[in-house]
Structure formats: structure tokens, C-alpha cells
């Protein structure tokens, strides 16, 4: 990547999605630019939430040398799917920095940055410190004990935490955080009806209550 392109990408992470032929939605651009310590994404199915956090992970790896990004999902298979989206972006950019190690579940770049998928079971998770970015995908389905085992990994580093999910009932730690989001930046992207029911991808919805108030009411597709 030539220096001008690298500078553009450093300043605007959206270029990672654009390199994959996607035109980022406004909420995706905002998320990529956000430096909030804690972000909650509450989005419909197929809204593009995994694609955008994968781009965020890749951007951190490229532009924060020595950074550590962890990907957690309810299962390792799902974390692996998210990681594949990271690799899609990496290839679309033309592998801007070489890897020193790459498997289906982790990559390490020559600038010392790492992106690692965590297993979806609390008993087998090893602890990491100095975490730059922790991404929890399908968060509403991540059991509380698993969540509690990864949260402390950010304590020392004060890294960024992004939890994203499609709602899964009105219970659990993700629901609690969404309904009482003190200290969280909240992003909601919905469209009726969800694509699985014949809708199209969202193009125009964003609610980001930066004052951290709870959303005025639960999204429609949360009911029932
Ligand atoms: N800005 C965009 N423009 C067009 N297509 C996009 C955009 N962002 C993501 N997509 C595409 O939409 C599809 C869904 O994206 P993605 O898997 O990231 O969504 P998701 O919300 O994580 O879905 P799921 O709920 O199934 O986990 C993918 O094919 C992805 O390439
Ligand atoms: Mg997803």
C-alpha cells in the first residue's frame, strides 16, 4: 500500500469496507470512527454488524502496532466466521502488512499486532492482558459466565469493548446493558421487516443516544 493510501485508510477506516466493494452505511462509518471505550450495537439480522466490527479489528491491527484484538462469540465456530471477515478485508486491501503467523483462528502481523479468536467456553479461555480491542459478537447469546471471564481482560489496558448482537429475548447481561446503558455508546440499526422475512438491508436508520439515555422503547422486532 502506498503511503498516501495508507494515510487515507488510517484516517478513514471505512476504506476497508470500500475495498470489499461495500458502501458503508452512516452507522457503520460512525462506528468505525468511534473511540468510545464501550459500545453496544443492537442491530437486526444481516445489518452488517459483523462486517463493520471485522473492519474495526483489522484497522486496529494495521494502525496500532503491537495491539491485541480478541474476538469472542458464543461458539468458536462463530468467532471463526467473524475472523474470516477480518481476512476478507485484509485480502481486499492487498495484505498491507505481512503476517508472521496465520491460522483459521488468529493472525499476527509483522508490526506485532495480533487478532485472536477466543473459544466459546469459559473453562478453556486463557487470560490475556493488554487488550486493545475486545469484540463480542452475538453478545445476547454469550453466557454470563463467559462474559465475566473476559471482561477483566480490559481492566488494566483500558482498551475498547464492542458488544454487538441481534436481540435474543428480554433477559441476560446484554439486555441489561442495553436497557441501562450508563457509560455506553449505543448504536441501533433496525429495519422492518428483518431481511429473513423479506426485508432489505438497512440504509437509513441510526439511533446513537450519545447522552447514554436508554432508547425510548424496545425495538419492534424485539417483541414476541
Ligand atoms: N454497507 C454495506 N453495504 C452492502 N452490503 C453490506 C454492507 N455491510 C455489510 N454488507 C453485507 O451484508 C451481509 C450481512 O453482513 P454481516 O454478516 O456483517 O451482517 P450481520 O448483521 O453480522 O448478520 P447476522 O445477523 O447474520 O450475523 C454480508 O453479505 C455483507 O457483506
Ligand atoms: Mg454477524
Amino acid at each position: 500500500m502506498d503511503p498516501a493510501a495508507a494515510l487515507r485508510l488510517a484516517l478513514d477506516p471505512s476504506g476497508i469496507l470500500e475495498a470489499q466493494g461495500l458502501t458503508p452505511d452512516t452507522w457503520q462509518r460512525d462506528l468505525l470512527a468511534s473511540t468510545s471505550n464501550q459500545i453496544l450495537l443492537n442491530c437486526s439480522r444481516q445489518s452488517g454488524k459483523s462486517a463493520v466490527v471485522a473492519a474495526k479489528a483489522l484497522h486496529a491491527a494495521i494502525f496500532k502496532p503491537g495491539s491485541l484484538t480478541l474476538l469472542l462469540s458464543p461458539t468458536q465456530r462463530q468467532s471463526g466466521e467473524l475472523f474470516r471477515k477480518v481476512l476478507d478485508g485484509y485480502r481486499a486491501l492487498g495484505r498491507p502488512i505481512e503476517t508472521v503467523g496465520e491460522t483459521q483462528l488468529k493472525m499476527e502481523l509483522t508490526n506485532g499486532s495480533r487478532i485472536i479468536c477466543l473459544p466459546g467456553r469459559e473453562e478453556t479461555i486463557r487470560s490475556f492482558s493488554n487488550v486493545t480491542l475486545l469484540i463480542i459478537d452475538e453478545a445476547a447469546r454469550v453466557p454470563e459466565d463467559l462474559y465475566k471471564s473476559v471482561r477483566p481482560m480490559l481492566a488494566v489496558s483500558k482498551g475498547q469493548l464492542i458488544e454487538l448482537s441481534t436481540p435474543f429475548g428480554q433477559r441476560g447481561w446484554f439486555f441489561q446493558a442495553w436497557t441501562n446503558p450508563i457509560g455506553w455508546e449505543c448504536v441501533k440499526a433496525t429495519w422492518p421487516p428483518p431481511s429473513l422475512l423479506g426485508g432489505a438491508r438497512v440504509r437509513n436508520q441510526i439511533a446513537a443516544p450519545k447522552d447514554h439515555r436508554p432508547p425510548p422503547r424496545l425495538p419492534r422486532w424485539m417483541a414476541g
Side-chain angles (χ1 to χ4, degrees):
M1 186 180 295
D2 66 69
L7 181 60
R8 268 199 308 280
L9 194 62
L11 297 174
D12 182 11
S14 302
I16 296 175
L17 292 177
E18 286 162 357
Q20 297 172 78
L22 305 173
T23 305
D25 293 329
T26 306
W27 71 270
Q28 289 175 317
R29 281 186 189 282
D30 289 350
L31 180 81
L32 286 168
S34 176
T35 56
S36 295
N37 265 3
Q38 302 195 116
I39 305 177
L40 283 174
L41 288 179
N42 186 347
C43 308
S44 299
R45 283 266 158 245
Q46 292 286 293
S47 49
K49 55 192 180 300
S50 294
V52 70
V53 295
K56 190 117 179 141
L58 182 59
H59 193 266
I62 295 172
F63 293 105
K64 292 182 184 165
S67 62
L68 172 59
T69 296
L70 301 177
L71 308 180
L72 177 71
S73 301
T75 65
Q76 198 161 46
R77 182 187 57 75
Q78 287 165 304
S79 304
E81 278 168 23
L82 181 57
F83 183 63
R84 264 197 296 283
K85 291 180 193 287
V86 174
L87 291 178
D88 289 345
Y90 177 65
R91 292 187 193 115
L93 291 177
R95 305 175 72 91
I97 298 182
E98 283 305 308
T99 53
V100 288
E102 187 181 326
T103 70
Q104 290 178 336
L105 294 174
K106 67 174 179 190
M107 78 192 299
E108 181 167 358
L109 301 179
T110 49
N111 67 1
S113 292
R114 290 170 296 160
I115 300 179
I116 298 175
C117 292
L118 297 176
R121 289 183 34 229
E122 188 247 326
E123 317 85 76
T124 53
I125 282 196
R126 97 168 220 245
S127 190
F128 289 92
S129 55
N130 267 333
V131 177
T132 312
L133 174 61
L134 171 60
I135 293 174
I136 307 183
D137 198 2
E138 300 291 351
R141 291 170 189 264
V142 167
E144 186 150 357
D145 56 353
L146 186 54
Y147 177 60
K148 285 191 172 152
S149 70
V150 295
R151 250 338 278 259
M153 295 186 203
L154 287 167
V156 176
S157 62
K158 306 267 186 285
Q160 191 175 41
L161 172 61
I162 305 180
E163 300 176 353
L164 56 142
S165 199
T166 298
F168 181 55
Q170 298 182 17
R171 61 177 183 278
W173 62 267
F174 181 80
F175 176 77
Q176 300 297 337
W178 181 259
T179 47
N180 187 22
I182 310 249
W184 292 87
E185 177 180 337
C186 297
V187 177
K188 182 173 70 157
T190 71
W191 70 100
S195 66
L196 293 179
L197 301 178
R201 282 197 70 260
V202 65
R203 300 240 41 106
N204 58 354
Q205 285 285 325
I206 175 155
K210 304 244 184 205
D211 56 359
H212 307 307
R213 274 179 311 187
R217 63 183 173 79
L218 298 175
R220 258 199 287 162
W221 40 273
M222 226 165 153

